[in-house]
């Protein structure tokens, strides 16, 4: 099989654990609920990292604008009349009022609703009512405060640090590794924001390891190999590969093809547009084919209905999920016909946060780019699918558990090294003293 660069064949015996450390890694639990720790993140980390804000086609035309919030920070992304994409701190230079909220189109200027100071879409101050009252006030002294904005594969990223490294450098190996997937062909049809009673790290941890699948997702365990799921750690980024359409080796080889099919249909049948309860179509299997091959064929057929040709994608490209983590709070879940972007954001206090999902579908070249539906809901009401609903429902209890006085540290394994890598980066950005950093357990667990 000719496999293009960036999608290497993984050895079947390469597992998610890799080489185990001599001892578990201990992470202070107070990082998940301490107001002081959250304050350090707000001061030292969030203004220094690249974050996905929106999709490029949400700000594609002159006058399109999008407000992005992260904790106390507000960013205004604007497509100017000259076609240039710019981003500014969302603040009036007069008295600090937020200039614009939400998203929309047809903007011609930015006028503060409090006192009427007005800027053009390039951030130049144009009008100040009763200007003479300010004495010698030069308009050129008070432009909007610019921030870094860059795009990659149809996504818009922002960074409050004007001296930040370029986005592509920050993403490290991901652009090359994921290049075969042509992410820009995907179209976002909805964004889902779920308000959660949990810290942003509690949320992010859930999409940074597969260790929990065997317990929290028993249905998924019947159709995913969570053991042979190799991981890669770079610096800001990391990756996991997970083969779907096969049972976990934890099932002991006892599952039939029908049971694997039923589990896949139940947990993610929408990816191939097969309704729950659809019987296993054994008559469609050709000699030597597997359930994975059948899932791939059904996925190609669903794509063809949308005008998408997946003839270039073999079974592995369609059924192996490539999961990329980007520090601090984002993950891409992708294969040949699937892309979900997930991120977590801090809430009003350390015990609250948001889970944000960009839901997409691959479309043929030239397909229209309709603006996605924006849905906001609570954890109690959210039902984004069997697996994600299970993840969300667990979070509040997990966050409560962090507060228990006897629970001083998370105890992390080598399988959870993407979580460890997130904390390693947090320590670097916050410049924590040695006494407050992670450490290896002195007790053999």
């Amino acid at each position: 099989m000719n496999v293009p660069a960036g999608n290497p064949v993984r050895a079947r015996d390469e597992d998610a654990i890799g080489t185990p450390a001599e001892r578990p890694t201990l992470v202070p639990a107070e990082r998940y609920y301490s107001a002081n720790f959250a304050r350090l993140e707000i001061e030292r980390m969030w203004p220094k990292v690249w974050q996905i804000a929106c999709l490029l086609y949400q700000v594609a035309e002159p006058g399109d604008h999008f407000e992005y919030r992260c904790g106390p920070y507000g960013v205004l992304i604007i497509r100017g009349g000259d076609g240039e994409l710019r981003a500014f701190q969302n603040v009036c230079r007069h008295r600090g009022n937020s200039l614009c909220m939400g998203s929309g189109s047809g903007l011609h200027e930015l006028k503060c609703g409090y006192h009427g100071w007005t800027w053009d879409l390039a951030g130049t101050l144009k009008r100040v009512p009763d200007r003479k009252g300010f004495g010698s006030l030069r308009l050129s002294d008070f432009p909007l405060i610019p921030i870094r904005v860059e795009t990659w594969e149809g996504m818009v990223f922002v960074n409050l640090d004007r001296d930040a490294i370029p986005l592509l450098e920050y993403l490290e190996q991901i652009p090359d590794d994921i290049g075969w997937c042509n992410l820009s062909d995907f179209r976002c049809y909805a964004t889902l924001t779920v308000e959660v009673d949990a810290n942003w790290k509690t949320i992010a941890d859930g999409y940074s390891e597969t260790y929990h699948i065997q317990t929290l997702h028993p249905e998924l365990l019947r159709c995913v190999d969570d053991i042979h799921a190799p991981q890669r750690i770079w610096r800001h980024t990391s990756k996991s590969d997970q083969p779907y359409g096969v049972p976990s080796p934890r099932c002991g080889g006892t599952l039939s093809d029908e049971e694997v099919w039923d589990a896949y249909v139940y947990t993610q049948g929408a990816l191939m547009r097969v309704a729950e309860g659809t019987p296993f179509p054994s008559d469609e299997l050709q000699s030597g084919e597997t359930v994975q091959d059948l899932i791939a064929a059904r996925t190609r057929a669903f794509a063809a209905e949308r005008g998408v040709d997946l003839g270039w994608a073999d079974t592995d490209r369609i059924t192996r999920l490539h999961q990329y983590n980007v520090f601090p709070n984002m993950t891409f879940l992708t294969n040949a016909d699937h892309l979900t972007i997930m991120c977590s954001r801090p809430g009003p206090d350390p015990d609250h946060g948001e889970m944000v999902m960009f839901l997409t579908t691959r479309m043929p070249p030239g397909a229209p780019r309709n603006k996605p539906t924006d849905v906001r809901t609570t954890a109690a009401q959210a039902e984004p699918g069997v697996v994600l609903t299970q993840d969300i429902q667990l979070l509040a209890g997990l966050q409560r558990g962090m507060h228990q006085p006897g629970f001083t540290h998370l105890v992390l394994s080598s399988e959870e090294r993407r979580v460890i890598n997130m904390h390693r980066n947090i320590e670097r950005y916050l410049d924590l003293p040695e006494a407050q950093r992670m450490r290896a357990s002195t007790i053999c667990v």
Side-chain angles (χ1 to χ4, degrees), residues 38 129 184 248 421 438 440:
S184 59
S248 169
N421 191 55
M438 295 181 293

Side-chain angles (χ1 to χ4, degrees), residues 165 197 210 218 302 308 311:
I165 63 174
D197 294 341
T210 55
F302 178 36
V308 174

